[in-house]
Amino acid sequence: AQSVTQPDIHITVSEGASLELRCNYSYGATPYLFWYVQSPGQGLQLLLKYFSGDTLVQGIKGFEAEFKRSQSSFNLRKPSVHWSDAAEYFCAVGVTGGGNKLTFGTGTQLKVEL
Amino acid sequence: NAGVTQTPKFRILKIGQSMTLQCTQDMNHNYMYWYRQDPGMGLKLIYYSVGAGITDKGEVPNGYNVSRSTTEDFPLRLELAAPSQTSVYFCASSQRGSNAEAFFGQGTRLTVV
């Protein structure tokens, strides 16, 4: 069965600093990988996704992620964090076939210090 | 564009009561899902549907039921509510295709006392 690990429960960065959120997955086939963001009291919004091709994926709000098959990782990065980026971030792996079911990691809570 | 709409936003239930969480989407998506979110646990799939009349269990289906009579609606039924069902529930929908984006509703916060 597939699984996703987000090893960092909480991360605090200063506004303007760079950010990297870690995600490791376990899946037997080529994975479909997603990063979602959840602002307080809101639903989840897709930041970016990977399913094939270029391993560096660009998303919304200046985020990018790099798929590294050898490390089973899909880390999320942003060069310069803004205070509005404070939120919870979820990495997910999609199961091929059978309804596009997503398996989520436990999330990383990002705090941005001004 | 409304997207995925969930009602109610908040609800308090007593142990043993039942209720239905409503979910409707206006994007003509075939696939719909119910997830629950508990602190520190991420989101867990309860049930999903790949089209009207077709539903299947996810990872944590016990204590819940669903139906899908139309493409737009995917209600989640809780029978005999228990404290363990205190959670935030999210409905989502997507098109076919394994790389399709899932669109989420704003959630229903349910407390069982």
Side-chain angles (χ1 to χ4, degrees):
Chain A
Q2 68 281 356
S3 65
V4 177
T5 301
Q6 293 181 249
D8 303 306
I9 299 173
H10 299 280
I11 282 185
T12 300
V13 299
S14 299
E15 189 175 36
S18 63
L19 172 70
E20 182 168 26
L21 302 182
R22 295 183 290 167
C23 172
N24 292 97
Y25 68 90
S26 173
Y27 186 55
T30 301
Y32 295 85
L33 296 162
F34 304 81
W35 274 100
Y36 283 85
V37 61
Q38 184 182 32
S39 298
Q42 301 296 312
L44 279 71
Q45 180 186 21
L46 181 70
L47 284 175
L48 48 78
K49 63 183 179 183
Y50 169 82
F51 57 96
S52 68
D54 194 345
T55 56
L56 185 62
V57 180
Q58 302 297 322
I60 62 171
K61 305 184 181 187
F63 285 92
E64 66 179 26
E66 186 170 12
F67 170 61
K68 293 185 177 180
R69 186 186 299 274
S70 61
Q71 298 177 20
S72 298
S73 69
F74 189 55
N75 294 349
L76 182 71
R77 302 193 295 245
K78 187 169 185 179
S80 178
V81 171
H82 188 262
W83 64 267
S84 60
D85 294 324
E88 189 156 22
Y89 292 79
F90 292 95
C91 182
V93 61
V95 178
T96 53
N100 298 0
K101 300 185 291 291
L102 293 174
T103 296
F104 285 88
T106 51
T108 297
Q109 187 73 46
L110 174 64
K111 179 181 177 182
V112 180
E113 291 183 332
L114 301 176
Chain B
N1 231 356
V4 178
T5 302
Q6 292 182 234
T7 56
K9 288 186 168 50
F10 303 94
R11 182 73 185 268
I12 298 174
L13 275 183
K14 294 184 177 178
I15 295 171
Q17 287 185 322
S18 61
M19 77 165 293
T20 299
L21 281 65
Q22 302 292 344
C23 175
T24 187
Q25 52 94 8
D26 62 359
M27 297 172 282
N28 202 33
H29 286 166
N30 290 97
Y31 294 176
M32 295 188 74
Y33 316 85
W34 276 104
Y35 291 90
R36 61 176 286 172
Q37 182 182 26
D38 300 298
M41 301 294 290
L43 282 79
K44 303 290 186 185
L45 183 64
I46 304 171
Y47 271 95
Y48 68 101
S49 169
V50 298
I54 306 170
T55 63
D56 206 349
K57 296 177 180 178
E59 187 179 355
V60 290
N62 291 345
Y64 307 95
N65 279 300
V66 293
S67 59
R68 184 96 181 269
S69 56
T70 67
T71 298
E72 295 78 20
D73 300 307
F74 190 41
L76 178 71
R77 178 83 176 164
L78 279 71
E79 306 281 2
L80 298 174
S84 60
Q85 294 178 305
T86 294
S87 188
V88 181
Y89 292 85
F90 287 99
C91 180
S93 71
S94 75
Q95 295 175 328
R96 287 193 183 100
S98 297
N99 63 334
E101 173 184 357
F103 292 82
F104 285 79
Q106 300 225 324
T108 296
R109 183 174 293 275
L110 175 67
T111 303
V112 182
V113 296

